[in-house]
């Protein structure tokens, strides 16, 4: 007899949504001067709220507020006091964690299991971690010579974050920036503004001085205005490689400091001596975690030919147990695709995969009628030349390739302009270290995948961007010697 | 080595043909990464089973219990009382299923058999110098024979962990084969053989996986985590390894083997987590008392309290359930 | 010509690519004068194709150099210092001629260049301990971060300081395990070529450092836009904002790591710090579960 799991929806009642939201500038919510746009729930297409689009004038106001706060307040606030503000914020995030998790799932479409167990706990952890750095900056740059002064903040940071981990990416940006003594103007992605706006409320609850954190909402134009603003000292961006390059060109010739966290096409490499059941979990976690909307997703599976059939059979069996559907259901494993635009892109590249001759497979799964959905999908018979093996799909789509020797695995893994992450599965210790050494990627997960921690530097090689987030290294991006 | 009782498929032919072949086979099994395995078990534990699913799962869990008493102070009276409970766990509610079996020491088998009559509740007997297994093969076989002769439907044997840990896999294998022989009856009503790994003494998950395969190759009808006398007893990750083993064994041979976590599972919440794990690892074929059991003594009353909560809508208390 | 004066044998100054000394494939050369405008030599005018060849050579040398032990790289760089010391007078002559320094100041500049190489030689097997880390993650994982070389680095060496400046920008790049394509000072290229001769006679594998003489404008745009160059140091266009910006824009095509041009050429006698090493290092973080 089949074990059906009855619906187990997390209650929405904890979230108090307003019908419209303004911009958070200088410590207050203000009306923007631009048009409002709608934020929809990707699972239902329900309009959640109207969001103000920040114009160039609004950006100017926000940067001015950040500059004022930097000059008059934050740069005169001791490290110890900044530290306590960040600890306070971390605590409020923990206290309001369920509310944040529900709102994140509602707005982004990710399963509540992930927002509850991964995103929000990590958000608090990043604030806790960087809180402790704020009064220890003289230890943050150990390679400074004979310094008698504390490293200096850069000033006003303009930060632009993506829609895949809205609040977590905010934490990655704001926590180190504030710890180092900068003030920030942050723009969330236009499809996922709501948790950033709730974070603005948290800043108010924490009595954070006005203007230290400014949240401006909007799309590409707003971002461009922020990046190009002459009074921004530091630009931090997480998003597509295409936009990253545009930012690079905009800031060329300026003295703005830049960090870019961009796309990836990570190889997840499974050897014949891998701990096979954990490897299959790692493959699933690597590509179906967060609907595959993960820059470091293990989107290229490289399997040693001798275990290909076995791995494929196990993977398919495991995929059949994935539960796709309502993000607020506590048993959902794979939620909604974040937007209709992203869904269109995933569909388009999947169609290309088929057209190029790769074989497509998805487990039987019923998708809801409304909203943006894509079934977990794998492609077999993929070669390096296929577009689905080269381009970032940013969805729950896995391309499977094979290899025969460790050297071939490395060659294929590195044969991409990206270099963000890689996975290695084998029981042989010396091979793990050899592979880790050979792979041109900023993060190598051996016998695990998609792990994140505030103490652990994260960032890419090559066209996956530059700079690191997390750990002491992450602080360097916000400090001048 | 003696031949195993089962007829293995071609895939496993020769796996146990010699001590060296058996060692090669067991060491050739894929390794288990402890952290990954525990993470998977933890994720499965986050499933939220509500309303109708929960009611269904609670009844299923009751029907899977091997209601156990394995104490030096066991008496005929105690065993009889437990048998009464096994047949009608909730006297107030005739819709409550009976448990799968009563699990006792060999000298209590006859008592239990008589008390249970034709109720359909099986009698399982531990044997082979349970729980340590530290005795001669002759004594272990005699122990088993006594239980079988007294009418045991199921035999829960322990493996020789000392032999296993010293690498003498064929000794462990041969002992299981020998015990399996003793489980046979001329009537054809053979006692089912459950083989206890005592995972707490094997320590590593790699060992649990090897011991599981060794037992299945030797003819085990069930593989069981623990005696309940050693900590840690049943855990989610150990049971996960075993569920993967029976799943893969069926893929390889076509033969289904059951799984029994025993010891330490005392709440409905835990039991449901195990059922979720069975469902998502081995599959729903195993969601049946024929293929999955809980070795437990305290679990039953908690399941009964939860059942009552489901039907009455209010929380119950221990005074409303029998303590046997 | 009086019979007691010997006609000196002049040197032909060529490029240094892949461990060899080719002429420019373009066949072009240009006149190098001393600081007072007197003819010193003809130097090879590197073309975009020379730049291309140099990148190929640098890429080919990268696996071996980056894969060598840090101890070995330190030994090799120290060897370079040793060989330079032996040719101290020659370098001093060239610095006097090119930079117009007094003999004494030029000598000090050569000494500093040699000492700087020794300093960087010592860093090869220490930098990872200074900028690497084990990360105390909240879970059963061993997690560490190590620096790794970025890859092929285009180095636009300074225009003024022809030896000390050159060594100060090249040594940190190769100490970190990168391979380099270097454009020398246009007007003062002779120490760069002599330095190439030192490299060729030390134990530096061919292709690890490649040196192009000529106008930075002829090669730098090709290096900046080259998709197989991983990073670029714009020091050589210090003060030329327009040029520097154009190169920075071109470098975005494959997201090169860019060390921006300073407003003016730095004082090379100052303590360099570590930023010239760390500018051309990536951080790799490795995770592995801890279990039995």
């Amino acid at each position: 007899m089949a074990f059906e799991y009855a619906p187990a929806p997390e209650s929405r009642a904890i979230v108090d949504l307003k019908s419209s939201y303004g911009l958070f500038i200088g410590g207050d919510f203000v009306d923007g001067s631009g048009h409002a746009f709608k934020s929809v729930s990707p699972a239902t297409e329900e309009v959640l709220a109207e969001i103000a689009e920040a114009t160039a004038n609004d950006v100017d106001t926000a940067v001015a507020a950040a500059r004022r706060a930097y000059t008059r307040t934050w740069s005169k606030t001791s490290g110890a006091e900044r530290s306590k503000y960040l600890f306070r914020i971390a605590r409020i995030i923990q206290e309001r964690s369920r509310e944040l998790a529900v709102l994140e799932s509602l707005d982004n479409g990710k399963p509540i299991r992930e927002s509850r167990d991964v995103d929000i706990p990590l958000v608090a952890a990043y604030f806790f971690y960087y809180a402790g750095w704020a009064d220890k900056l003289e230890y943050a740059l150990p390679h400074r010579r004979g310094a008698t002064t504390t490293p200096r903040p850069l000033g006003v940071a303009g930060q632009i974050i993506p829609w895949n981990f809205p609040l977590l990416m905010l934490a990655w940006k704001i926590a180190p920036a504030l710890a180092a003594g900068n003030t920030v103007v942050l723009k969330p992605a236009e499809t996922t503004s709501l948790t950033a706006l709730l974070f603005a409320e948290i800043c108010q609850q924490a009595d954070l001085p006005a203007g230290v954190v400014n949240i401006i909402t909007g799309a590409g134009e707003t971002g461009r205005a922020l990046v190009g603003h002459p009074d921004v000292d530091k630009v931090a961006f997480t998003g597509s490689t295409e936009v990253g390059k545009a930012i690079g060109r905009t800031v060329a010739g300026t003295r703005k400091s830049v960090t870019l966290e961009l796309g990836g096409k990570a190889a997840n490499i499974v050897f014949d001596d891998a701990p096979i059941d954990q490897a299959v979990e790692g493959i699933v976690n690597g590509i179906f975690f967060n609907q595959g909307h993960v820059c470091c997703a293990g989107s290229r599976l490289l399997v040693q030919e001798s275990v290909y059939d076995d791995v494929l059979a196990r993977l398919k069996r495991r995929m059949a147990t994935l539960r796709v559907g309502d993000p607020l259901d506590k048993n959902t494993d794979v939620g909604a695709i974040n937007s209709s635009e992203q869904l269109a892109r995933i569909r388009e590249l999947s169609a290309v995969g088929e057209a190029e001759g790769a074989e497509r497979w998805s487990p039987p799964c019923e998708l809801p009628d409304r909203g943006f959905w894509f079934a977990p999908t794998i492609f077999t018979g993929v070669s390096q030349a296929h577009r689905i093996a080269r381009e970032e799909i940013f969805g729950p789509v896995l391309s499977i390739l094979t290899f025969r020797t460790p050297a071939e695995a490395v060659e294929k893994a590195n044969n991409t302009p990206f270099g963000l992450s890689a996975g290695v599965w084998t029981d042989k210790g010396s091979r793990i270290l050899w592979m880790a050494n050979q792979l041109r990627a900023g993060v190598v997960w051996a016998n695990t995948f998609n792990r994140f921690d505030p103490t652990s530097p994260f960032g890419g090689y090559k066209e996956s961007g530059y700079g690191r987030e997390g750990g002491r290294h992450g602080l360097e991006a916000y400090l001048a010697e | 080595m003696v031949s195993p009782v089962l007829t293995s498929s071609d895939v496993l032919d020769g796996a146990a043909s010699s001590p060296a072949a058996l060692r090669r086979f067991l060491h050739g099994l894929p390794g288990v990464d402890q952290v990954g395995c525990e993470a998977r078990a933890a994720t499965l534990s986050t499933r939220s089973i509500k309303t109708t699913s929960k009611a269904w799962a609670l009844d299923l869990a009751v029907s899977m219990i091997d209601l156990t008493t394995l104490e030096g102070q066991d008496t005929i009276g105690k065993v009889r009382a437990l048998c009464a409970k096994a047949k009608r766990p909730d006297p107030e509610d005739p819709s409550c299923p009976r448990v799968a079996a009563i699990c006792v020491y060999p000298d209590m088998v006859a008592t239990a058999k008589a008390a249970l009559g034709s109720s359909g509740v099986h009698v399982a007997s531990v044997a082979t110098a349970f729980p340590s297994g530290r005795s001669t093969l002759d004594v272990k076989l005699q122990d088993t024979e006594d239980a079988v002769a007294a009418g045991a439907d199921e035999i829960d044997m322990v493996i020789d962990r000392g032999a296993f840990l010293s690498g003498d896999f064929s000794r462990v294998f041969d002992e299981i084969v020998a015990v399996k022989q003793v489980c046979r009856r001329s009537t054809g009503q053979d006692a089912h053989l459950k083989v206890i790994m005592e995972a707490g003494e094997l320590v590593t998950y790699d060992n649990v996986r090897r011991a599981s395969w060794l037992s299945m190759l030797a003819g085990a009808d069930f593989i069981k985590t623990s005696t309940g006398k050693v900590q840690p007893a049943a855990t989610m990750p150990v049971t996960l390894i075993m569920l993967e083993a029976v799943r893969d064994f069926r893929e390889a041979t076509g033969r289904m083997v059951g799984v029994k976590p025993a010891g330490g599972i005392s709440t409905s919440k835990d039991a449901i987590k195990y059922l979720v794990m069975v469902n998502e690892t081995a599959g729903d074929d195993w969601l049946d008392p024929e293929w999955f059991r809980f070795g437990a003594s305290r679990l039953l009353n908690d399941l009964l309290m939860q059942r009552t909560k489901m039907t009455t809508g209010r929380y119950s208390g221990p005074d409303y359930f029998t303590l046997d | 010509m009086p019979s007691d004066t010997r006609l000196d044998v002049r040197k032909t100054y060529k490029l240094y690519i892949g461990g060899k000394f080719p002429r420019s494939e373009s066949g072009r050369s240009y006149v190098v004068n001393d600081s007072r405008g007197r003819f010193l030599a003809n130097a090879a005018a590197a073309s975009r194709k020379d730049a291309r060849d140099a990148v190929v050579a640098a890429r080919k040398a990268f696996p071996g150099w980056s894969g060598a032990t840090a101890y070995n790289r330190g030994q090799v760089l120290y060897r370079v210092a040793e060989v330079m010391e032996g040719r101290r007078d020659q370098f001093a002559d060239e610095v006097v001629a090119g930079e117009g320094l007094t003999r004494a100041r030029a000598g000090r500049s050569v000494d500093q260049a040699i000492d700087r190489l020794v300093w960087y030689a010592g860093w090869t097997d220490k930098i990872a301990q200074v900028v690497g880390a084990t990360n105390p993650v909240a879970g059963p994982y061993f997690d560490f971060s190590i620096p790794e070389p970025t890859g092929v680095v285009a180095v636009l060496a300074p225009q003024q300081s022809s030896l000390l400046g050159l060594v100060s920008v090249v040594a940190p790049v190769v100490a970190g395990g990168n391979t380099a394509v270097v454009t020398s000072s246009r007007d003062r290229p002779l120490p760069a070529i002599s330095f190439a001769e030192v490299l060729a006679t030390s134990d530096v594998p061919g292709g690890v450092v490649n040196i192009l003489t000529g106008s930075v404008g002829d090669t730098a745009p090709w290096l900046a836009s080259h998709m197989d160059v991983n990073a670029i140091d714009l020091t050589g266009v210090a003060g030329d904002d327009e040029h520097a910006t154009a190169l920075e824009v071109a470098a975005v095509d494959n997201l090169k790591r860019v060390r921006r041009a300073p407003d003016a050429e730095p004082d090379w006698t100052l303590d360099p710090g570590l930023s010239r090493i760390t500018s051309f290092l990536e951080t790799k973080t490795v995770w592995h579960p801890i279990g039995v």
Side-chain angles (χ1 to χ4, degrees):
Chain A
M1 186 176 170
F3 192 176
E4 301 291 348
Y5 304 162
E10 180 69 52
S11 168
R12 275 180 65 162
I14 193 167
V15 169
D16 183 18
L17 272 175
K18 298 185 181 69
S19 59
S20 68
Y21 287 87
L23 311 170
F24 183 67
I25 296 176
D28 290 312
F29 284 96
V30 298
D31 293 333
S33 52
H35 296 292
F37 61 95
K38 293 178 169 57
S39 195
V40 305
S41 161
T44 59
E45 299 178 57
E46 167 202 358
V47 174
L48 296 172
E50 298 221 322
I51 313 278
E53 181 177 21
T55 63
N57 278 340
D58 298 326
V59 171
D60 206 39
T61 313
V63 172
R67 174 62 60 191
R68 204 160 45 241
Y70 177 72
T71 313
R72 295 187 189 167
T73 313
W74 203 235
S75 62
K76 293 174 182 161
T77 306
S78 72
E81 295 300 302
R82 290 202 311 274
S83 173
K84 286 190 285 183
Y85 278 116
L86 289 169
F87 277 123
R88 205 185 253 191
I89 289 171
R91 273 287 188 248
I92 298 175
I93 288 165
Q94 288 179 321
E95 287 159 6
R96 301 181 68 173
S97 62
R98 189 53 57 98
E99 181 186 0
L100 287 163
V102 171
L103 184 57
E104 195 77 306
S105 284
L106 204 55
D107 197 23
N108 167 279
K110 67 173 62 198
I112 185 76
R113 181 168 65 77
E114 291 177 6
S115 53
R116 181 196 65 202
D117 296 346
V118 182
D119 291 59
I120 308 305
L122 276 174
V123 169
Y126 273 82
F127 276 99
F128 266 105
Y129 176 77
Y130 281 110
W133 266 120
D135 56 357
K136 301 170 188 68
L137 296 179
E138 58 271 39
Y139 302 97
L141 304 178
H143 48 281
R144 292 196 314 154
R145 287 185 56 94
T148 51
T149 56
T150 303
R152 288 173 292 108
L154 299 173
V156 174
Q159 306 179 316
I160 300 176
I161 57 170
W163 45 260
N164 57 343
F165 295 93
L167 197 63
L168 183 56
M169 292 299 102
L170 174 148
W172 285 28
K173 296 282 180 289
I174 292 184
L178 263 48
N182 304 274
T183 58
V184 306
V185 178
L186 176 132
K187 187 193 88 65
E190 68 270 29
T191 60
T192 53
S193 308
L194 294 176
T195 45
L197 293 164
L198 182 51
F199 178 80
E201 271 181 39
I202 288 173
C203 292
Q204 289 178 325
Q205 277 191 342
D207 291 329
L208 189 71
V212 171
V213 168
N214 303 275
I215 308 282
I216 54 168
T217 43
E221 276 307 316
T222 310
R224 266 187 288 278
L226 181 58
V227 169
H229 197 287
D231 204 31
V232 164
D233 301 298
K234 154 83 191 177
V235 174
F237 172 74
T238 297
S240 72
T241 290
E242 186 191 349
V243 174
K245 287 179 180 178
I247 290 172
R249 292 184 185 104
T250 304
V251 299
T254 71
R255 290 289 153 194
K256 287 176 192 170
S257 149
V258 185
T259 41
L260 302 171
E261 213 70 87
L262 309 174
K265 192 74 192 179
N268 202 359
I269 304 164
V270 179
F271 284 95
D272 60 5
D273 66 341
I276 203 76
D277 292 301
Q278 288 72 51
V280 169
E281 286 308 313
I283 296 165
V284 168
N285 178 43
I287 189 63
F288 302 124
F289 173 62
N290 203 36
Q291 298 73 247
H293 300 328
V294 185
C295 48
C296 52
S299 53
R300 280 188 298 153
L301 175 62
L302 296 178
V303 188
Q304 196 155 21
E305 279 188 21
S306 49
V307 288
Y308 172 75
D309 291 340
D310 189 28
V311 169
L312 187 63
R314 287 168 187 268
L315 176 60
K316 286 181 169 179
R317 182 176 58 206
R318 175 68 176 87
M319 283 173 69
T321 68
L322 288 171
R323 304 174 66 87
V324 184
D326 180 6
L328 287 181
D329 190 307
K330 287 177 250 183
N331 292 322
T332 291
D333 298 315
V334 179
I337 301 302
N338 181 252
S339 65
S340 61
E341 291 76 17
Q342 188 57 28
L343 179 59
R345 173 166 170 82
I346 297 168
R347 283 181 174 155
E348 183 204 327
L349 274 165
S350 298
V352 168
E354 280 185 289
E356 288 183 331
E359 193 182 326
R360 177 175 180 165
W361 184 86
S362 292
C365 77
E366 272 179 48
L367 300 178
D369 297 331
R370 290 185 63 79
F372 316 128
W373 301 94
F374 198 87
T377 299
I378 57 175
F379 278 98
T380 52
V382 180
S383 73
Q384 289 283 92
H386 285 144
R387 274 180 67 192
I388 53 169
R390 304 196 63 76
E391 293 181 30
E392 187 174 40
I393 299 173
F394 222 65
V397 181
L398 178 68
S399 300
I400 307 181
L401 298 87
T402 61
F403 68 93
R404 295 158 297 177
T405 64
E408 186 184 358
V410 166
E411 185 180 281
K412 285 183 167 168
N414 286 343
N415 181 213
T416 163
F418 295 115
L420 188 51
S421 65
V424 181
W425 298 85
T426 169
D427 251 5
K428 190 171 176 185
S430 54
R431 181 186 290 150
I432 289 169
L433 294 176
W434 184 82
M435 291 293 293
N437 186 257
Q438 296 291 310
L439 291 165
R440 300 287 291 165
V443 183
V444 176
W445 285 294
N447 291 326
T448 187
F449 208 92
N450 270 347
R451 299 283 150 204
F452 309 96
D453 190 275
T455 67
S456 182
F458 179 95
Y461 283 32
K462 302 195 280 186
E463 293 200 23
S464 290
Y466 38 73
R468 291 293 176 269
E469 294 184 305
R472 184 195 62 75
H473 294 72
L475 213 49
E476 284 183 9
Y478 290 95
L479 286 174
E481 298 196 359
Chain B
M1 288 175 79
V2 285
S3 348
V5 173
L6 77 141
T7 325
S8 286
S9 75
D10 292 346
V11 184
L12 298 179
D13 258 3
S17 60
S18 70
L22 183 60
R23 165 184 298 275
R24 267 197 309 278
F25 176 80
L26 295 177
H27 280 279
L29 291 167
V32 181
D33 183 80
Q34 182 195 335
V35 173
C37 172
E38 290 174 357
R40 174 63 179 149
T43 304
L44 286 167
S45 301
T46 67
R47 290 287 190 223
S48 178
I49 304 302
K50 300 288 185 203
T51 62
T52 51
S53 308
K54 186 172 179 181
W56 182 84
L58 290 172
D59 277 7
L60 182 62
V62 169
S63 74
M64 286 174 160
I65 286 182
D66 282 3
L67 195 57
T68 302
T69 185
L70 295 168
E71 302 299 334
Q73 57 188 355
D74 285 349
T75 57
I76 287 172
K78 162 79 182 174
V79 170
R80 282 186 181 146
L82 210 59
C83 289
K85 174 103 171 179
K87 289 191 284 188
R88 286 188 65 196
D90 185 353
E92 311 281 310
D93 181 0
S95 76
C96 180
R98 56 175 169 73
V99 304
I102 284 286
C103 185
V104 292
Y105 273 113
D107 64 335
M108 292 294 167
V109 169
T111 303
K113 197 69 192 167
L116 291 166
S118 60
S119 65
V121 176
H122 287 191
V123 175
S125 171
V126 298
T128 70
F130 180 96
S132 73
R134 296 254 65 83
S135 194
T136 62
L137 180 59
D138 286 347
V139 169
K140 294 182 193 181
L141 293 179
Q142 188 59 53
D143 196 21
T144 311
E145 250 180 67
D146 287 353
V148 173
D153 303 291
E154 301 169 2
I155 295 295
D156 289 22
M157 72 169 285
V158 291
I159 64 164
D160 184 341
R161 284 88 76 189
F164 185 93
L165 290 171
S166 67
D168 194 351
F169 298 137
S170 49
R171 182 187 175 91
V172 181
F173 182 93
D174 290 350
E175 214 168 85
I176 297 170
V177 171
V179 173
K180 175 90 178 175
Q181 285 290 349
V182 176
C183 289
R184 297 199 150 177
R185 289 193 177 96
S186 52
T187 58
Q189 299 287 303
D190 298 347
H192 271 58
L193 180 61
K194 305 200 197 93
V195 179
I196 302 171
M197 315 286 115
E198 197 65 299
E201 289 187 348
L202 298 185
V203 180
T204 69
Y205 296 140
D206 290 318
N207 278 344
V208 172
R209 173 168 287 180
R210 290 183 189 125
S212 299
W213 277 86
L214 181 153
S215 303
M216 295 187 294
L217 285 169
D221 298 305
F222 252 81
I223 50 177
K224 177 176 167 184
T225 60
S226 344
T227 60
K229 303 294 184 190
V230 166
Q231 288 302 321
T235 65
M236 288 279 286
V238 159
T239 311
L240 176 60
I241 302 288
M242 291 191 180
L243 287 165
E244 289 164 355
V246 297
R247 175 197 69 194
D248 293 349
F249 188 77
R250 183 170 72 167
E251 290 271 310
T253 67
R255 188 169 81 88
M256 253 174 98
V257 174
V259 176
K260 177 180 171 185
I265 304 168
S266 58
T267 66
S268 304
K269 197 172 178 177
D270 283 347
I272 291 173
K273 287 177 185 174
Y274 277 87
L275 294 180
V276 164
M277 193 163 66
V278 173
N279 187 41
E280 298 196 36
T281 307
D284 57 13
D285 286 353
W286 269 268
L287 286 175
D288 187 301
E290 182 108 10
W291 302 111
F292 194 79
R293 298 278 178 87
F294 291 107
S297 48
R298 286 168 298 159
L299 173 63
L300 181 56
N301 266 11
D302 193 68
L303 288 168
L304 297 177
M305 281 204 287
Q306 289 299 320
R307 279 185 94 252
T308 308
K309 159 75 170 60
M310 298 293 291
T311 50
T312 65
R314 61 171 188 241
Y315 291 104
S316 192
D319 287 353
Y320 296 88
F321 298 93
T322 55
L323 293 168
D324 302 283
Chain C
M1 186 174 294
S3 58
D4 58 344
T5 54
R6 177 177 170 275
L7 186 67
D8 57 347
V9 178
R10 284 185 180 165
K11 187 159 97 181
T12 309
Y13 290 88
K14 297 194 284 190
L15 307 176
Y16 182 53
I17 298 174
K20 296 191 164 54
F21 291 90
R23 289 192 169 83
S24 168
E25 67 75 41
S26 68
R28 292 190 298 126
S29 64
Y30 66 103
V31 171
V32 177
N33 290 328
D34 70 11
S35 59
R36 290 185 240 166
R38 291 175 308 205
F39 176 82
L40 273 178
N42 289 308
S47 69
R48 70 178 164 89
K49 288 189 181 170
D50 294 318
R52 174 201 63 191
D53 293 347
V55 171
V56 171
R59 176 58 64 193
K60 196 172 162 208
F62 180 68
W65 184 245
S66 61
T69 64
Y71 176 64
N72 179 245
R73 284 201 300 270
Q75 295 266 298
V76 169
L77 292 182
Y78 183 74
R79 176 73 183 152
V80 175
E82 287 178 341
V83 177
M84 276 185 86
E85 184 89 14
R87 294 169 66 158
R88 185 179 179 281
D89 289 346
Q90 180 198 344
F91 279 112
D93 289 345
E94 288 168 349
V95 170
V96 167
E99 299 185 21
L101 301 181
T102 63
R103 181 82 203 168
R105 284 192 60 197
R108 278 202 298 279
S109 180
V110 175
D111 291 345
Q112 280 177 317
I114 295 169
D115 290 353
R116 186 138 300 159
L117 260 171
V118 172
W119 191 71
Y120 277 119
W123 267 117
T124 58
D125 54 3
K126 295 162 195 72
I127 189 73
Q129 291 180 310
V130 174
V131 301
T134 52
N135 311 310
V137 298
Y141 299 92
F142 183 58
D143 184 293
F144 62 93
S145 294
I146 45 166
E148 284 197 346
T150 295
V152 173
V153 181
V155 179
L156 312 187
Q159 298 299 324
Q160 307 300 319
S161 181
S162 57
L163 183 66
L164 177 57
L166 173 82
V167 166
S168 297
V169 295
V170 174
V173 168
V174 294
N178 301 283
T179 56
V181 176
V182 184
T183 64
S184 75
S185 164
R186 182 197 178 279
D187 296 337
R188 302 167 178 178
L190 303 194
I193 293 303
S194 295
F195 182 60
E197 290 164 9
V198 166
L199 296 172
T201 52
S202 311
D203 301 317
V204 182
V208 170
V209 178
N210 305 274
I211 299 180
L212 306 172
T213 51
S215 169
V216 74
D218 289 342
T219 48
W222 302 100
L223 293 171
S225 67
H226 198 303
M227 298 299 273
D228 201 29
V229 171
N230 301 101
I232 188 165
D233 176 355
L234 299 178
T235 302
V237 292
D240 183 351
D241 288 347
E242 200 176 325
H243 196 180
T245 302
L247 294 174
E248 198 178 336
V249 169
V252 170
D253 286 353
N254 68 336
L255 290 168
K256 284 178 189 65
R257 286 75 176 114
V258 176
R259 188 176 170 100
R260 285 182 176 141
D263 295 329
E265 192 170 314
D267 179 353
W268 299 105
T269 64
L270 297 178
D271 199 304
L274 282 190
S275 76
R276 286 193 169 270
I277 304 183
T278 55
S279 292
F280 305 106
L281 294 177
E282 305 291 324
T283 298
K284 177 183 279 177
T285 298
V286 180
W287 292 66
H288 196 280
I290 299 171
V292 295

